[in-house]
Amino acid sequence: MFRNWGPGSDGSGEWDSGILVGSSGTWIVVFGDHRCVSDTALTALSRGGGRAVAIRWNGAELLKYAVDGEMKVTINIVATQYRTGSDPTLLDRHMGGLRFDIGGPDNADPVDPRESFTSALVVIGRITGQEINKEWLDEPHVGYIVPADPR
């Protein structure tokens, strides 16, 4: 699913990259770099009673959740103490039993960043009611190529 998206998927903006937009019931699920899952984009997708959840990668790995045009919470999935939004603890009940934080002075059991990403996929499944697994990812979804930033 994310294969062959090209070097721009690193989020630098120097190369074309990709974005995946899928649905899970009434939810819009977005995976992409910082250009694709900005607060502006997600709040626009969720306006009019909609709900959107996204994962952003590249430098700051974020889990974002917007409802009805409002950014409810953004969580850094490798350092979950860093949160913003109108309700920063909203997703805590969906994070039970999962591991996110990759390091820090109090973290005696560091987590690999890939586990943080997988945990974020589990959270998305818990809030949407649809497990985000290989089968879901392999289903047809809308994908776009995001052109490189002109310099």
Side-chain angles (χ1 to χ4, degrees):
M1 190 243 0
F2 293 109
R3 290 182 296 271
N4 301 319
W5 275 19
S9 295
D10 70 354
S12 68
E14 296 178 20
W15 306 93
D16 293 348
S17 67
I19 177 176
L20 175 134
V21 181
S23 63
S24 176
T26 61
W27 287 87
I28 297 172
V29 181
V30 182
F31 299 101
D33 69 19
H34 65 93
R35 297 174 294 162
C36 305
V37 296
S38 68
D39 289 1
T40 302
L42 291 179
T43 55
L45 284 171
S46 70
R47 280 196 186 100
R51 301 178 294 178
V53 63
I55 292 180
R56 170 193 149 173
W57 57 78
N58 320 108
E61 289 70 26
L62 304 175
L63 175 61
K64 295 182 158 201
Y65 175 88
V67 176
D68 199 18
E70 180 181 358
M71 186 57 59
K72 293 291 191 176
V73 61
T74 297
I75 300 172
N76 184 316
I77 63 172
V78 298
T80 57
Q81 73 271 23
Y82 297 109
R83 301 165 181 231
T84 59
S86 63
D87 191 353
T89 62
L90 181 66
L91 297 182
D92 286 359
R93 68 177 187 254
H94 301 290
M95 295 169 66
L98 301 172
R99 294 172 6 118
F100 293 93
D101 300 315
I102 63 170
D106 299 331
N107 192 348
D109 187 16
V111 175
D112 184 287
R114 293 171 292 190
E115 185 176 354
S116 296
F117 189 84
T118 301
S119 292
L121 293 176
V122 171
V123 170
I124 290 173
R126 289 176 178 177
I127 63 175
T128 64
Q130 167 65 54
E131 185 177 1
I132 308 300
N133 55 17
K134 181 180 179 344
E135 290 77 22
W136 186 88
L137 290 168
D138 285 343
E139 289 176 9
H141 298 292
V142 176
Y144 299 98
I145 297 298
V146 179
D149 292 336
R151 305 242 181 230

